[in-house]
């Protein structure tokens, strides 16, 4: 970056500037009393511009040339010209030294600022790396906690089963829901009584317009063995439908283990992956989701979405 020959400050692209035709130094337009119009005129007319010291030297040189041509040049004139040149050189050298010292000072100040900024950036980078490490550790800890909570919630559902596909009456009560569960048991040749049921009710809100079909029923058995026995009996009776409960309609009834919301989402993603990637089987058991490519292929347990992305 060049500095002005007058104020010794930097001359950048945004400044009005002039270049001396003789010494090659740059000058701010304001420092040499030149306006934008003046500078544009010099440029358009290709007029050489010289700074004051160079202009003075130029004038003396031209005067000596004229005097020499006219035969009027004396030794005294030559000596005077030499002395003036020496004087001008001293001024130029002094100005140059002044500019050089000023630039050295500015470079030293800039270097000090840069070193300070580098040190500060290093501290920021170290701080960022520390925060990133802490953030990663926290994410891992949160993931571990979420997994523990998920497992605990799934464990709390170990005695639960969901029944889907049974129509709901407008005046249906909790006792009516229990009777439905008892009828489902009879339909699969299993005797279920109220003492075997810890809790039983419909899922979701009654008037949910976004829901498709009737609300499901969740049943929490007192013993897990009873829940597993009901699942076993259902597998033996694959065509279970509402007609087996004495209803006029013939709609398929589904019995599934109860999944947490996040595990349910994972199962939905696994079903989509089965379709997209050509897998033959997808199922869940004990709250865990599984996939199998074909009959003799190994079983793949899906623990998270990343497992599906790696298929």
């Amino acid at each position: 970056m060049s500095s002005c020959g007058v104020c010794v400050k930097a001359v950048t692209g945004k400044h009005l500037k002039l270049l001396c035709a003789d010494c090659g130094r740059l000058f701010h337009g304001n420092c040499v009393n030149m306006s934008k119009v003046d500078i544009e005129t010099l440029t358009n007319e290709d007029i050489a511009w010289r700074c004051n010291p160079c202009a003075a030297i130029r004038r003396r040189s031209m005067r000596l040339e004229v005097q020499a041509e006219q035969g009027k040049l004396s030794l005294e004139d030559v000596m005077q010209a030499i002395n003036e040149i020496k004087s001008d050189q001293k001024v130029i050298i002094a100005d140059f030294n002044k500019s050089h010292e000023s630039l050295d000072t500015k470079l030293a100040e800039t270097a000090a600022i840069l070193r300070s900024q580098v040190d500060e950036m290093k501290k920021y980078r170290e701080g960022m790396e520390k925060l990133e490490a802490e953030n990663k550790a926290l994410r891992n800890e949160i993931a571990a906690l979420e997994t523990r909570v998920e497992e605990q919630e799934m464990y709390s559902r170990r005695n639960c089963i969901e029944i889907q596909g049974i129509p709901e009456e407008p005046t249906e009560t909790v006792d009516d829901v229990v009777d439905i569960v008892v009828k489902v048991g009879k339909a699969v040749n299993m005797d279920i009584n109220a003492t075997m049921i810890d809790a039983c009710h419909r899922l979701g809100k009654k008037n949910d317009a976004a829901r498709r079909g009737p609300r499901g029923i969740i049943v929490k058995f007192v013993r897990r063995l009873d829940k597993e026995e009901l699942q076993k009996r259902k597998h033996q009776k694959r065509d279970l439908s509402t007609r087996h409960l004495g209803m006029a309609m013939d709609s398929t009834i589904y019995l599934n283990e109860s999944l947490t919301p996040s595990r349910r989402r994972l199962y939905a993603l696994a079903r989509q992956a089965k379709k997209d990637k050509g897998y033959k089987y997808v199922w869940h058991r004990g709250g865990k989701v599984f996939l199998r490519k074909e009959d003799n292929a190994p079983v793949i347990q899906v623990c998270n979405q990343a497992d599906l992305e790696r298929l």
Side-chain angles (χ1 to χ4, degrees):
M1 184 181 295
S2 301
S3 60
C4 176
V6 176
C7 68
V8 199
K9 293 182 180 179
V11 180
T12 64
K14 66 181 181 179
H15 292 129
L16 290 174
K17 56 183 176 291
L18 285 162
L19 178 69
C20 179
D22 288 349
C23 66
R25 298 178 65 187
L26 283 172
F27 295 81
H28 292 124
N30 293 336
C31 292
V32 292
N33 298 321
M34 296 290 283
S35 67
K36 182 179 180 181
V37 174
D38 296 331
I39 296 173
E40 290 177 350
T41 300
L42 291 174
T43 302
N44 294 335
E45 297 184 7
D46 197 22
I47 300 174
W49 178 85
R50 295 175 176 82
C51 62
N52 290 337
C54 291
I57 294 173
R58 177 70 173 175
R59 286 193 297 270
R60 287 195 297 271
S61 175
M62 292 179 65
R63 186 177 68 249
L64 289 174
E65 289 177 3
V66 172
Q67 289 176 341
E69 289 175 357
Q70 294 176 354
K72 299 178 180 180
L73 186 63
S74 64
L75 180 59
E76 182 179 353
D77 293 330
V78 173
M79 293 303 298
Q80 182 180 354
I82 291 173
N83 290 331
E84 289 175 353
I85 292 172
K86 288 181 179 179
S87 178
D88 290 337
Q89 285 180 338
K90 289 179 180 180
V91 172
I92 292 172
I93 292 172
D95 290 342
F96 176 81
N97 290 336
K98 181 181 178 181
S99 299
H100 190 272
E101 290 173 0
S102 177
L103 285 174
D104 284 345
T105 301
K106 290 180 179 180
L107 285 173
E109 292 174 353
T110 302
I113 292 172
L114 286 174
R115 284 194 296 270
S116 176
Q117 291 177 342
V118 168
D119 292 339
E120 194 169 354
M121 288 296 294
K122 183 178 179 181
K123 291 179 182 179
Y124 287 146
R125 185 170 61 251
E126 291 173 351
M128 288 293 294
E129 291 174 353
K130 183 179 179 181
L131 288 174
E132 287 176 357
E134 291 176 355
N135 189 28
K136 183 178 180 180
L138 287 173
R139 287 199 304 268
N140 292 337
E141 186 175 348
I142 290 172
L145 289 173
E146 288 176 345
T147 301
R148 288 174 58 186
V149 170
E150 177 78 9
E151 294 299 330
Q152 289 175 359
E153 187 175 353
M154 280 303 307
Y155 185 77
S156 70
R157 294 170 180 251
R158 68 192 186 282
N159 293 1
C160 296
I161 194 167
E162 292 183 12
I163 305 174
Q164 302 286 347
I166 299 178
E168 178 180 2
E169 296 296 332
T171 59
E172 186 178 86
T173 65
V174 174
D175 291 337
D176 294 331
V177 176
V178 173
D179 290 340
I180 291 173
V181 175
V182 172
K183 290 180 180 179
V184 170
K186 289 181 180 179
V188 296
N189 300 318
M190 177 178 175
D191 292 329
I192 298 176
N193 57 65
T195 61
M196 298 167 62
I197 299 173
D198 183 33
C200 180
H201 59 83
R202 291 276 182 176
L203 293 167
K205 296 181 180 180
K206 190 171 185 178
N207 298 318
D208 187 357
R211 185 181 61 251
R212 296 180 180 178
R215 292 188 296 166
I217 297 172
I218 185 168
V219 184
K220 184 177 182 181
F221 287 93
V222 176
R223 300 192 317 158
R224 184 170 53 181
L225 290 176
D226 293 332
K227 170 244 186 175
E228 292 175 349
E229 181 65 21
L230 180 59
Q231 284 182 301
K232 179 181 176 182
R233 296 292 181 93
K234 168 60 178 68
H235 290 156
Q236 294 172 354
K237 191 176 183 65
R238 297 182 179 275
D239 62 341
L240 180 63
S241 72
T242 52
R243 62 186 173 82
H244 295 109
L245 306 186
M247 298 181 180
M249 64 191 70
D250 188 10
S251 300
T252 303
I253 296 175
Y254 301 93
L255 272 68
N256 300 304
E257 62 179 346
S258 181
L259 299 177
T260 63
S262 61
R263 202 61 60 91
R264 194 184 302 277
R265 287 192 294 271
L266 181 62
Y267 181 59
L269 291 172
R271 293 176 63 185
Q272 186 62 43
K274 168 183 174 290
K275 179 180 178 181
D276 295 341
K277 301 186 179 183
Y279 277 69
K280 190 173 183 180
Y281 304 105
V282 59
W283 71 97
H284 60 83
R285 185 175 62 248
K288 298 177 181 178
V289 181
F290 302 93
L291 278 167
R292 176 180 277 170
K293 185 75 173 179
E294 51 193 23
D295 291 336
N296 297 323
V299 175
I300 300 172
Q301 181 177 345
V302 181
C303 298
N304 48 52
Q305 188 173 348
D307 290 341
L308 296 173
E309 294 172 354
R310 287 192 290 267
L311 292 177

